Amino acid sequence: MLRPVKMSRVVVAGSKDVISPVVEKLHELRLLHIVSYNGNQPEFELGKPIGKAKEYSEDLIKLRSATRYLDIKNKAPDKTYPESQVLSEMDNLLNNVGAEVTATFERITAIEAEVKSKQDQIKALTPLSVLPLPLDAYYGYDSLATFVGTAATPVDADVARVSPVNEIYTGTAKNATLVAIFVPADKAGEVSAVLSEHGFSETSVPKLEGNVDSAIATLEGSIKSLDGEMAPLKKKLADMKKQYEDLMLATDEYLSMQTRKTEAPLRFAETANAFVIDGYVPSDQFSRLKNELESAAGGRLEVQLIADKEADDLVEKGEDVPTQMDNPSLARPYELVTRLFAIPEYKEFDPSLLIFVFFPIMFGMILGDVGYGVMTFLVLVLLKKRFRTEGWQQLINIVMIGSVWSIIFGVFYGEIFGPLGLWGRVMGQLPEAELEHLKSVGLYFGEGVYGSLGRLGPLGIFPMDRLASNAVLLLIGTSIFIGVIHCSVGSILGILTELNYGEKKHAYFERLPVMLFQVFFAIALLGLVMGQMIMVYLGAVVIVVSIVMMVMGPEGAMGLAHVPSYVSNLISYLRILAIGLASVGLAYAANQLAFYVIMPMLSGGAKDSAEFTIPAIIVGVLVLLVVHFINFLLGILSPFMHPLRLHYVEMFTKFYSAHGGGVEYSPFGHVRRFLKA
Amino acid sequence: MAIVADAGVLYGLLAVGAGLATGLAGIGAGVGEQGIGAAVVGVVAEEPGFLGKGLFLMLLPETLIIFGLAVSLILMFAWTPFSGIVTP
């Protein structure tokens, strides 16, 4: 929660004789985050790969070329294989299957190239059919020069002028004039010059025989037979892909695993007879790591915990303590949001839990519609089955929790596909006299949205209509209020982070005044609105104090330059209201357009919904579908991106970016996907 | 010459002001986003993984519209000097 898992710095040292079982055990345990040896100490040298590293990489290259030809991409496993099966089938897979795949793929490529060249020939031949010459008349002359192509203007007279001996054939194709000109070879240069004046562009004539039409027919026939040959080959590839996909991915996994194991010693420090591994392990796992490793090495190895003070020295020298985020499973998807920004440093806070609290509420407040919320939820349920990679699953879970909140807020706002759309019609309205009374006491939160159960909430204002002016004012206040809490939480984390790093001055004179400023700015505003001048004075005094503190802080008077941004930080939270209003507005417009404009108009001015004609209802519903669909798409994107921004820009900057990104805990080992353990 | 404060005219002017505030802020944000958008499309073409960060960067100038909108909302709903006149 909020803090990464506690890590301990360990050193593993052992005899080189046991390096293989130790690597094997480390890989299996998946506990030790190895710190690569940098080769700086003269008494140690870099380790060398063990075992059959080269063979494994060669096999991997062979396998990957076959997977590429089969167009196999990484995916969620449908089947898993025991290692023994992978091993027994590997030889066949790499050599026989691999060779067959390569041969088939190469044949397909060759056929495709041949088809392409024949298609080009057909393209060149087609215009020639307007000329009365067989194809072998176009080539094979020693003393004649041939020009075949299209010309923009008639060429006969000019060609005859430079070369009295000539033969010219002209034909009109679809949108060009085709000419074939035969002149003595010694006149070729002059004729070519003349032709260029007439916009002549040459066509290359394929060296074929017979007349044009029959040549085209022959080519088309052979294309057809090539296509006929290709279809079963493609099917063969597809069948092979289906048959071997999971096995190939399992083999890939096995080989990658082996390669990683054989190359692991490259990150160790070695002497002639011993090896040393530096690394980090979660503190509560240390004894397990120690016991397992020592029993695997039969006592020829020592695992030692480094004392805190010594470990701090190593960090001081530039070693990064890895961060493993530690959150309850419901909040874990939100680690994606954190990760997208930066991995927190070991001493920093992991904000995922806070994102889990604030993000879905903001999402819900913005979208706030039962109809859209349910639709989002259903769409996500479908997507969740379709996209099964971890990243997608996390993203989908993030939005899913948000969509639940948007249903809750939809009930508060009285919106099902927009206000006044279904809610008011289904639930009925308050009597006119009561509405008048509400207006007079300033508690009018829109009409047509009150349920027959009356209204709920401390002021009796839910469900309310977000487009009513009182509701807008209330939401402005709520948004700023959320902003103050959000920023304050960020500031508190900021203060604690600075204290963790031992920077007291930064904590009390840089982070604290920001929080004071923002909180009391909001209190002063609230006092203005409520007419409580005492709150305004109090707020003003604390704001002045906080500004003085900023000036005393590490940045000095320059710190004042940030003051406007602290105000704009808070105003920025108005987007929670604003984007929501935009989407309500569009939904409202869609409903108005359909129910009060299109349907009455197409029913010949009918006022009552019972009189609407069927075509009018169909058109109206179509308009509703289209506009609501567009609104729905926008309605998922904006409520996602804007709270994200509120977190990254307004909240994270208060405590996060000061010390740069951390290193994620990635223990040596492998999560098996296609391989059975 | 005496200035006659007509409630309808004042309300109309407030509405025009509110519209200008949001509209002009929107243009400003649009100008800001144009450059970022072009750059993001360029980067995403090279490296599709950047899409998330790119979309996020595109949102940065949208704060400007929010400011404009805040001014509009204050003009329309919360500006007390005129509230006596503008309450319908």
Side-chain angles (χ1 to χ4, degrees), chain A residues 215-232:
Chain A
I216 290 180
T218 319
L219 285 171
E220 277 171 349
S222 58
I223 286 181
K224 211 168 185 182
S225 76
L226 284 171
D227 279 341
E229 190 190 339
M230 190 154 70

Side-chain angles (χ1 to χ4, degrees), chain A residues 500-569:
Chain A
N500 268 347
Y501 280 95
E503 314 240 22
K504 282 202 176 132
K505 193 167 182 193
H506 281 273
Y508 295 129
F509 291 98
E510 194 182 332
R511 305 287 181 192
L512 183 64
V514 176
M515 187 177 123
L516 289 178
F517 182 92
Q518 290 187 328
V519 170
F520 282 88
F521 183 80
I523 286 179
L525 268 187
L526 190 66
L528 268 181
V529 173
M530 288 167 53
Q532 300 285 332
M533 289 317 280
I534 179 86
M535 285 164 75
V536 182
Y537 296 139
L538 177 72
V541 169
V542 179
I543 286 176
V544 171
V545 170
S546 71
I547 288 177
V548 171
M549 284 166 79
M550 278 178 219
V551 176
M552 289 162 64
E555 277 191 81
M558 281 305 288
L560 291 183
H562 300 307
V563 171
S565 76
Y566 301 143
V567 180
S568 74
N569 272 180

Side-chain angles (χ1 to χ4, degrees), chain A residues 469 574-575 578 641-642 645, chain B residues 59-60 62-63 66 69-70 77:
Chain A
S469 36
L574 276 186
R575 70 185 65 228
M641 297 307 290
H642 283 270
R645 178 223 133 99
Chain B
L59 288 188
L60 284 183
E62 275 189 25
T63 318
I66 311 274
L69 187 85
F77 299 122

Side-chain angles (χ1 to χ4, degrees), chain A residues 372 586 623-636:
Chain A
Y372 291 148
L586 197 54
V623 169
L624 279 180
L625 283 179
V626 170
V627 183
H628 277 299
F629 181 69
I630 295 171
N631 198 17
F632 174 66
L633 289 186
L634 291 174
I636 294 184

